[in-house]
Amino acid sequence: MNAPTQSLKGLDLHAEIDRLRKERNAVILAHYYQEAAIQDLADFVGDSLDLSRKAAETQADVIAFCGVRFMAEVAKILSPDKTVILPDMAAGCSLEDSCPPEQFARFRAAHSDHIAITYINCSAAVKAHSDIIVTSSSAEKILAQLPMDQKIIFAPDKNLGAYFNRKTGRDMLLWPGACIVHEAFSETELLKLKAQYPDAPVAAHPECPAFILDHADEIGSTRAILDFALASPAQTIIVATEPHIIHQMQKAAPHKLFIGAPGADGNCNCNMCPYMAMNSIEKLYLALRDLTPRIELDEQTRLAAKRPLDRMLEMASASVGQGDLGQRTTD
Ligand code: 13P
Ligand code: SF4
């Protein structure tokens, strides 16, 4: 049961959001990096792949997307007839910012013998220039369906791309983008924490640089990190990703200790995603009330971006093994 959140002139915002959710036939989708109060209000909380799947299959008329803009855009690309609202339209992503569409198009043109596998953390315009979209939870399975000699551009996250190069033995050409949140973890501080808790495994997101991943016992998407933290027999777990995910861990396993991996000064807020933090309960209420800010995409971009996203959804659900698909994925 949620505690009432009062504000915007003394309204019970939880009750108002519940009322509007019913009136508008809305579904509230939230990413694990959202503040705890938003996670608790949501109809579904998940990683990027889970949220994409939910957005594609929902029967709701309105999708209230509590995450960042590229995630809400994915919902609109996959469900164009729905009204998709984002509590704060300024909620971007440093990875998206690191890959301007015109530069990406030029890079692609300069490597025309490569296909583009693009991480979902990018704009709709960059998706439109891509062959297959991946998330951190689907990339390995998708790469396993491509021939090993396929030349691949991987954008925009160089850390994620380097991780999959190491894991799969590929030599993908990496776009030099990075997530400001996952780049902020400190190896020195992590080693100090490990020395303090020698039995605690480290679960890390693959957006972290290799110097953090080298110390991880589990590397995976936000959902994979959550699953690991809950399934592990360890009573203390070090979590190297955005710390709001710890809310779900504490709810499901209150007897365990979950410690966020430290940033450079050992105790900074630099691992909180500033874009995710732009959303709030107040802004969610206003968005549901006014049905704005609303995601709008031009139809040409939407259709071009849908193709590689559909590819991801198909390939992520395919029942195939390593190297089963021997053909190039572009037509
Ligand atoms: P996930 O797909 O693991 O949820 O990652 C989303 C994200 O933005 C991580 O920074
Ligand atoms: Fe983007 Fe990083 Fe925030 Fe994820 S944590 S939304 S990659 S800035």
Side-chain angles (χ1 to χ4, degrees):
M1 180 82 176
N2 294 317
T5 303
Q6 307 270 350
S7 73
L8 289 179
K9 297 190 195 135
L11 288 173
D12 176 345
L13 290 175
H14 279 97
E16 285 298 304
I17 287 169
D18 272 341
R19 178 180 65 76
L20 287 165
R21 163 169 32 204
K22 286 189 197 95
E23 268 177 36
R24 304 241 181 257
N25 187 26
V27 65
I28 301 175
L29 304 182
H31 190 265
Y32 292 121
Y33 296 166
Q34 290 289 276
E35 65 178 59
I38 292 182
Q39 293 189 39
D40 288 347
L41 263 171
D43 296 294
F44 181 78
V45 187
D47 73 2
S48 303
L49 181 64
D50 298 332
L51 291 167
S52 306
R53 286 181 166 141
K54 283 281 168 196
E57 69 199 22
T58 183
Q59 298 300 313
D61 296 316
V62 174
I63 300 173
F65 210 112
C66 298
V68 291
R69 194 174 51 240
F70 78 79
M71 296 177 176
E73 277 184 355
V74 167
K76 186 68 181 175
I77 292 165
L78 296 173
S79 289
D81 301 334
K82 318 277 178 203
T83 300
V84 179
I85 50 176
L86 177 67
D88 191 326
M89 198 53 93
C93 168
S94 57
L95 277 170
E96 174 179 344
D97 292 345
S98 72
C99 193
E102 314 73 37
Q103 281 180 31
F104 184 64
R106 281 200 294 278
F107 188 71
R108 278 225 67 180
H111 300 93
S112 54
D113 55 342
H114 288 58
I115 63 166
I117 307 279
T118 309
Y119 189 34
I120 199 165
N121 296 38
C122 65
S123 63
V126 166
K127 288 184 176 76
H129 288 299
S130 303
D131 294 299
I132 310 171
I133 302 301
V134 295
T135 63
S136 48
S137 54
S138 61
E140 197 174 349
K141 183 170 181 186
I142 288 170
L143 286 169
Q145 295 171 56
L146 301 175
M148 279 305 283
D149 59 357
Q150 174 67 64
K151 291 183 175 173
I152 297 173
I153 290 170
F154 188 92
D157 189 347
K158 63 175 184 193
N159 291 326
L160 189 68
Y163 168 68
F164 285 117
N165 271 347
R166 288 193 300 278
K167 189 137 196 227
T168 66
R170 289 182 185 266
D171 186 22
M172 298 186 291
L173 192 54
L174 307 181
W175 183 270
C179 161
I180 50 167
V181 173
H182 290 86
E183 287 248 302
F185 291 116
S186 156
E187 183 180 22
T188 309
E189 295 300 325
L190 179 60
L191 289 175
K192 282 191 211 161
L193 197 60
K194 277 172 69 86
Q196 212 180 330
Y197 298 95
D199 298 329
V202 176
H205 197 281
E207 286 176 19
C208 293
F211 61 77
I212 296 293
L213 297 181
D214 285 349
H215 302 291
D217 300 279
E218 165 73 11
I219 300 171
S221 77
T222 48
R223 176 165 47 81
I225 290 174
L226 175 60
D227 290 348
F228 171 83
L230 299 184
S232 169
Q235 290 305 299
T236 303
I237 290 141
I238 299 171
V239 179
T241 193
E242 214 275 0
H244 283 98
I245 194 173
I246 291 176
H247 176 61
Q248 294 293 332
M249 297 174 183
Q250 278 166 341
K251 270 189 10 177
H255 55 286
K256 290 190 181 182
L257 176 63
F258 304 102
I259 307 174
D265 71 358
N267 191 24
C268 68
N269 277 342
C270 47
N271 304 122
M272 307 257 185
C273 176
Y275 306 99
M276 292 276 180
M278 288 179 183
N279 295 327
S280 64
I281 290 285
E282 287 83 359
K283 290 179 191 172
L284 172 60
Y285 161 72
L286 292 172
L288 278 166
R289 188 190 71 182
D290 303 336
L291 293 183
T292 185
R294 214 183 266 214
I295 302 286
E296 306 283 4
L297 294 169
D298 77 75
E299 190 59 3
Q300 203 184 339
T301 305
R302 188 191 74 78
L303 286 173
K306 185 170 184 296
R307 192 168 169 273
L309 267 171
D310 284 343
R311 212 74 185 250
M312 171 185 82
L313 294 173
E314 283 158 30
M315 293 177 86
S317 305
S319 50
V320 288
Q322 186 84 22
D324 273 1
L325 281 191
Q327 69 194 42
R328 199 188 146 116
T329 58
T330 43
D331 302 323

